[in-house]
């Protein structure tokens, strides 16, 4: 029986998703050195087939970033809607973000580079800017709510937000520079959380 | 009465010190964009005279860095010899380092760049590496002693050291990128210190 157009469409989407899944892993491991050949191998397809879905690795990277931002938004939204106190939601947010960063250092490094690179499409940069701003806004909101419940230390909430973000960025770049040291001594999120505790 | 050789020597040393003082301020304010003309103007001498003491601004910068490292060592030594508990000395160390970094952001940025620059003389890079290692060693030692007295949170001391250093580096680069935001919301050292508290 010949495949219907609908079945073909489903197949194409599944194939595309498989390439993006593979690309995420390969970019996270190899950074920008990843090639189409690496991505195709990880997706267990031929390079020729990969090129039928994406013009080049830049196109794959853009799509991977867009999906990462989307899923970042959903995660933020889910955290905001969780039951529990603001302090508990804040703790969840900070620990998730630090763990996520730790597990995907190379990929984040790639995003930082893409952001600074003039060649990166402006819409992608806008997306990254908004994502970063939203993360800060959500953290700030939880900090203010947590200060009201007494779960978060008093003081200028913006100082607290900046301290956490500085730590996150500082850890990422240090860990990339000193991978051996960080393999064994990457600070646990609860150390960072103490900055926010009364 | 003609000046004696000794008096001349003293004069030369005073002049040299004046140029280095001026250079420290100019580098801290303007970064690597600082010129010999800026430095001479800040030292209130002619450019010609400045060139009699230093071949170029690289030579001045190298000397400024060497002196900064030297005085960093003395400050570390003084903190280690202070009366009080390990926790108090650690608090002093962290707050001094963060305040110092905050006040001299541009200068530290310059040092980071010099460190990464292949053209920087190897002896200067060794000096910076040793300085950074000594700072980490001293902090680690105070953390371990503070854990013994119960003033510092339990857990892997290296994680605590890395968390503080990451925060320091992250704040420096963020503050350089977002000067307006940091003018009003630079996190106080006591926020950082909370990471180390039980």
């Amino acid at each position: 029986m010949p495949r219907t157009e609908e079945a073909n469409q489903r197949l194409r989407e599944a194939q595309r998703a498989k390439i993006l899944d593979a690309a995420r892993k390969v970019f996270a491991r190899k950074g920008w050195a990843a090639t189409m050949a690496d991505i195709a191998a990880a997706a267990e397809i031929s390079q020729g087939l990969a090129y039928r879905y994406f013009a080049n690795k830049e196109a794959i990277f853009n799509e991977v970033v867009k999906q990462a931002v989307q899923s970042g938004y959903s995660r933020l939204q889910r955290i905001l809607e969780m039951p529990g106190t603001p302090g508990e939601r804040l703790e969840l947010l900070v620990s998730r973000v630090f763990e996520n960063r730790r597990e995907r250092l190379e990929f984040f490094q790639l995003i930082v580079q893409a952001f600074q690179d003039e060649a990166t499409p402006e819409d992608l940069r806008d997306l990254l800017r908004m994502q970063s701003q939203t993360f800060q806004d959500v953290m700030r909101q939880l900090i203010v709510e947590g200060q009201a419940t007494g779960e978060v230390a008093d003081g200028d909430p913006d100082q607290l937000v900046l301290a956490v973000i500085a730590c996150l960025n500082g850890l990422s770049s240090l860990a990339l520079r000193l991978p051996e040291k960080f393999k064994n001594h990457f600070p646990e999120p609860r150390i960072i959380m103490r900055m926010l505790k009364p």
Side-chain angles (χ1 to χ4, degrees), chain A:
Chain A
M1 202 174 71
R3 286 193 298 231
T4 62
E5 179 50 30
E6 200 188 319
N8 274 330
Q9 177 67 19
R10 270 204 306 275
L11 191 69
R12 279 198 299 271
E13 276 168 20
Q15 201 73 275
R16 206 169 170 275
K18 206 165 83 172
I19 297 172
L20 291 171
D21 273 345
R24 252 188 302 277
K25 287 177 198 126
V26 175
F27 279 129
R29 202 175 60 236
K30 295 200 158 187
W32 200 242
T35 62
M36 278 297 258
D38 295 327
I39 296 169
E44 300 180 324
I45 60 171
S46 73
Q47 254 195 88
L49 187 55
Y51 276 113
R52 265 199 271 158
Y53 286 86
F54 295 96
N56 48 39
K57 76 172 181 181
E58 283 78 3
I60 300 188
F61 181 67
N62 286 359
E63 190 55 33
V64 162
V65 171
K66 277 182 190 166
Q67 290 192 353
V69 168
Q70 263 316 322
S71 83
Y73 276 125
S74 320
R75 279 198 306 271
L76 278 176
Q77 201 51 48
R78 276 202 303 279
I79 288 177
L80 276 178
E81 287 163 359
M82 282 213 165
T85 65
E88 286 162 357
R89 286 197 289 275
L90 181 60
E91 189 140 5
L92 203 63
L93 174 68
V94 170
S95 61
R96 290 270 174 85
V97 166
F98 273 80
E99 278 156 15
N100 192 28
R101 185 70 66 99
R102 177 189 183 162
E103 281 161 18
R104 303 168 74 191
L105 267 183
E106 303 286 347
F107 181 61
F108 274 102
Q109 178 68 0
L110 213 57
I111 290 190
V112 169
Q113 280 163 5
F115 189 68
Q116 287 162 355
D117 187 349
E118 297 279 321
T120 301
E122 199 51 40
D123 67 325
L124 206 63
R125 284 207 274 187
D126 279 344
L127 205 66
L128 292 171
R129 249 190 297 269
M130 277 192 306
Q131 153 84 341
S132 152
Q133 190 56 51
T134 305
F135 168 59
Q136 289 185 42
D137 291 346
V138 167
M139 182 156 57
R140 191 180 189 287
Q141 178 186 333
L142 290 174
I143 284 174
V144 171
E145 291 175 15
Q147 287 179 326
T149 60
E151 292 168 291
V152 172
D154 285 335
D156 176 5
D158 288 311
Q159 284 192 25
L160 297 175
V161 170
L162 290 177
V164 172
I165 290 176
C167 217
L168 187 63
N169 293 353
L171 281 176
S172 310
S173 20
L174 265 182
L176 283 162
R177 252 194 296 147
L178 310 166
E180 278 311 306
K181 185 133 199 172
F182 274 82
K183 203 165 65 186
N184 300 318
H185 305 290
F186 201 101
E188 294 157 52
R190 66 186 172 85
I191 297 177
I192 315 310
M193 266 311 288
R194 284 202 290 261
M195 288 199 288
L196 304 180
K197 293 280 173 75

